[in-house]
Amino acid sequence: MSLSVVVVDDEPLIRSGLRAIINAEPDLTVVGEAGDGAEVLPVVRRTGADVVLMDVRMPAVDGIQATRLLLENLDPAPRVLVVTTFENDDYVYDALRAGASGSC
């Protein structure tokens, strides 16, 4: 079974790197990308992704708000993994409270 993944990050280079890493795994496939949390709902609706790899900090709609939007508007909703390089535990707690399945 292969899992479909949408990568959401405001940095194109990060999205490109994550796409390469994910697509190198035999059971994972990137099916879409978004450059901001505001773009993720239509991408996931179109692709039916199983998992969303979501940056926590983005300019218009951050990953925490976007996670809430996904989980409130899609049934079934994808699993959301929030990605952050910041050493701020509050981001992780807020993401989990919003419904994220985990963070990395």
Side-chain angles (χ1 to χ4, degrees):
M1 179 180 137
S2 181
L3 290 177
S4 58
V5 180
V6 167
V7 177
V8 185
D9 197 291
D10 58 324
E11 295 292 332
L13 188 58
I14 300 295
R15 288 196 313 269
S16 176
L18 289 171
R19 175 184 279 278
I21 291 167
I22 292 165
N23 283 337
E25 295 298 319
D27 55 349
L28 301 174
T29 304
V30 174
V31 294
E33 295 182 12
D36 189 81
E39 302 169 10
V40 70
L41 185 58
V43 172
V44 173
R45 275 193 174 131
R46 186 183 79 247
T47 62
D50 300 306
V51 177
V52 175
L53 198 57
M54 179 95 67
D55 184 17
V56 74
R57 290 189 60 189
M58 293 177 283
V61 175
D62 69 28
I64 295 164
Q65 293 172 304
T67 297
R68 279 191 199 101
L69 286 170
L70 284 174
L71 298 179
E72 290 171 357
N73 290 288
L74 296 177
D75 186 25
R79 298 285 186 165
V80 178
L81 295 176
V82 175
V83 178
T84 183
T85 59
F86 296 95
E87 295 285 329
N88 185 339
D89 289 341
D90 289 340
Y91 289 139
V92 174
Y93 297 136
D94 289 346
L96 293 173
R97 278 191 221 85
S101 297
S103 70
C104 52

